[in-house]
Amino acid sequence: MAASVDPLVVGRVIGDVLDMFIPTANMSVYFGPKHITNGCEIKPSAAVNPPKVNISGNSNELYTLVMTDPDAPSPSEPNMREWVHWIVVDIPGGSNPSKGKEIVPYMEPRPPVGIHRYIFVLFRQNSPVGMMVQQPPSRANFSTRMFAGHLDLGLPVATVYFNAQKEPASRRR
């Protein structure tokens, strides 16, 4: 059974980044042993490498995964909303992003100020899109809505987000 969207409404993911949708697929995201649940806290140092992402579905279905930060550079003044951290297209159902085509390489969270939301959005594709999609000119001011509209992806089928904030610098004595 797919997850509820309630935490996405409370966390303003629906509204700031996405429109209301009904989850119809399952996606699990792990940074090391840590399973990502909506609103959980992840230290940026634990997210240096791309997460392990498992997508439900059949191998004849294709998916697009987008990871963005809608709080760049700061939650109080998100004038770079959204900062795109990762895009992978043509991921077969029942697999993971390593089986798809990476359009934007993974970039770890680096929140300069405040608590940032990092959102993983999964779309089911109608057909392969790898030849149609180009890398955005910048990671700043990306729009998940416009990207999905351009590729005719429709509404998301699964979404999960985590929070992260700048870690204190290690103190040297």
Side-chain angles (χ1 to χ4, degrees), residues 34-50:
K34 174 79 172 163
H35 180 237
I36 302 304
T37 56
N38 283 317
C40 73
E41 175 96 11
I42 296 288
K43 289 186 167 134
S45 60
V48 171
N49 296 315

Side-chain angles (χ1 to χ4, degrees), residues 26-134:
N26 287 308
M27 169 177 64
S28 59
V29 180
Y30 293 85
F31 282 104
K34 174 79 172 163
H35 180 237
I36 302 304
T37 56
N38 283 317
C40 73
E41 175 96 11
I42 296 288
K43 289 186 167 134
S45 60
V48 171
N49 296 315
K52 181 179 175 196
V53 179
N54 293 315
I55 299 166
S56 66
N58 300 318
S59 59
N60 62 344
E61 297 172 322
L62 294 174
Y63 293 88
T64 291
L65 177 68
V66 176
M67 177 186 172
T68 70
D69 170 4
D71 301 315
S74 77
S76 60
E77 292 188 34
N79 58 16
M80 292 177 158
R81 173 177 292 167
E82 301 159 53
W83 187 274
V84 65
H85 279 261
W86 200 21
I87 299 176
V88 184
V89 300
D90 295 343
I91 306 166
S95 73
N96 61 66
S98 70
K99 307 285 186 207
K101 179 181 179 188
E102 192 173 66
I103 303 300
V104 175
Y106 177 80
M107 177 184 176
E108 75 270 20
R110 291 186 203 149
V113 162
I115 298 171
H116 288 235
R117 296 165 291 166
Y118 293 88
I119 303 165
F120 294 91
V121 186
L122 187 69
F123 296 94
R124 185 175 289 120
Q125 299 172 200
N126 297 317
S127 60
V129 297
M131 301 309 281
M132 298 173 8
V133 68
Q134 295 179 344

Side-chain angles (χ1 to χ4, degrees), residues 12-36:
R12 297 183 338 274
V13 170
I14 290 177
D16 286 352
V17 178
L18 303 172
D19 295 322
M20 183 61 80
F21 72 99
I22 297 169
T24 56
N26 287 308
M27 169 177 64
S28 59
V29 180
Y30 293 85
F31 282 104
K34 174 79 172 163
H35 180 237
I36 302 304

